[in-house]
Amino acid sequence: AQTVTQSQPEMSVQEAETVTLSCTYDTSENNYYLFWYKQPPSRQMILVIRQEAYKQQNATENRFSVNFQKAAKSFSLKISDSQLGDTAMYFCAFFLQGGSEKLVFGKGMKLTVNP
Amino acid sequence: GAGVSQSPRYKVTKRGQDVALRCDPISGHVSLYWYRQALGQGPEFLTYFNYEAQQDKSGLPNDRFSAERPEGSISTLTIQRTEQRDSAMYRCASSLYGGGADEQFFGPGTRLTVL
């Protein structure tokens, strides 16, 4: 079974600074996807960024980028130029392609951006 | 519709009562998923459908939980003889065809409280 671990329960950062959220996962498979989801105080679940395991290039979406280390099974999220609206819970998630069609989530990390 | 909708948004019930939670996916989306999210945790997979077929129900905690999607669109998650431990946010998600390449769009959730 796949597992996802987010070891930092909480972080805070000053507005405009850069912050990195860590995530590790465990799988013996090769074909999978990794995701970061954001859950603001409104409790919506919003996709931030996605990484295909077969791609060596790290995904980027505007201020959000990932550092995907497949051998180390590590998938960190970097948020540049943090904004107050980035304050949220962040969940790392794993999806096994060709297996059970489910996202496996970590426990989440609470990020607070301070003015 | 514009997004995934769920009803009711909040449900308070007494222990032992049955509840039915409804999910209306994005129009045309083939795959529909149910997750449960306890406070302070990441969502946990319950079950998923492709069209009207329930493909995986391995995440349903016990036989008090059931789900259906009879016409391949709206889905209902039913919990019989509710218990206090069933209290959680129940989230529905849909994707166009399933698979990791397709984004899962989440609904706002139903907050269930069992007294």
Side-chain angles (χ1 to χ4, degrees), chain A residues 87-104:
Chain A
T87 293
M89 286 289 292
Y90 285 83
F91 294 95
C92 179
F94 174 99
F95 184 100
L96 178 62
Q97 186 67 21
S100 176
E101 291 270 324
K102 63 181 179 182
L103 287 165
V104 177

Side-chain angles (χ1 to χ4, degrees), chain A residues 33 35 37 39 42-47 50 52 89 91 95 97 99-108, chain B residues 31 33 35 37 39-45 48 56 58 89 91 98-104 106 108 111:
Chain A
Y33 292 77
F35 303 83
Y37 278 86
Q39 189 171 66
S42 65
R43 302 278 289 173
Q44 291 176 277
M45 287 289 287
I46 302 165
L47 178 64
R50 170 175 52 208
E52 296 90 333
M89 286 289 292
F91 294 95
F95 184 100
Q97 186 67 21
S100 176
E101 291 270 324
K102 63 181 179 182
L103 287 165
V104 177
F105 287 87
K107 289 187 175 182
Chain B
S31 298
Y33 311 82
Y35 294 86
Q37 185 176 13
L39 201 60
Q41 302 290 319
E44 287 185 302
F45 171 81
Y48 98 95
D56 184 351
S58 63
M89 175 77 83
R91 291 192 183 274
D102 268 349
E103 179 178 349
Q104 290 189 24
F106 283 82
R111 166 73 68 191

Side-chain angles (χ1 to χ4, degrees), chain B residues 6-113:
Chain B
Q6 293 185 244
S7 60
R9 293 291 306 277
Y10 301 90
K11 177 71 177 178
V12 180
T13 190
K14 291 183 178 179
R15 188 179 55 177
Q17 298 293 306
D18 298 350
V19 295
L21 312 180
R22 172 183 165 130
C23 171
D24 198 345
I26 294 172
S27 178
H29 277 197
V30 168
S31 298
L32 184 147
Y33 311 82
W34 283 99
Y35 294 86
R36 178 169 70 171
Q37 185 176 13
L39 201 60
Q41 302 290 319
E44 287 185 302
F45 171 81
L46 295 176
T47 185
Y48 98 95
F49 294 83
N50 272 346
Y51 298 102
E52 72 282 359
Q54 190 171 21
Q55 300 289 347
D56 184 351
K57 56 181 181 178
S58 63
L60 295 176
N62 51 60
D63 60 9
R64 295 186 296 105
F65 287 73
S66 63
E68 63 174 8
R69 193 187 185 196
E71 297 179 1
S73 178
I74 293 168
S75 176
T76 302
L77 177 70
T78 300
I79 309 173
Q80 295 179 312
R81 305 180 302 282
T82 53
E83 301 177 5
Q84 287 184 329
R85 60 178 171 156
D86 299 333
S87 295
M89 175 77 83
Y90 289 82
R91 291 192 183 274
C92 171
S94 71
S95 69
L96 187 55
Y97 292 118
D102 268 349
E103 179 178 349
Q104 290 189 24
F105 293 87
F106 283 82
T110 294
R111 166 73 68 191
L112 175 66
T113 302

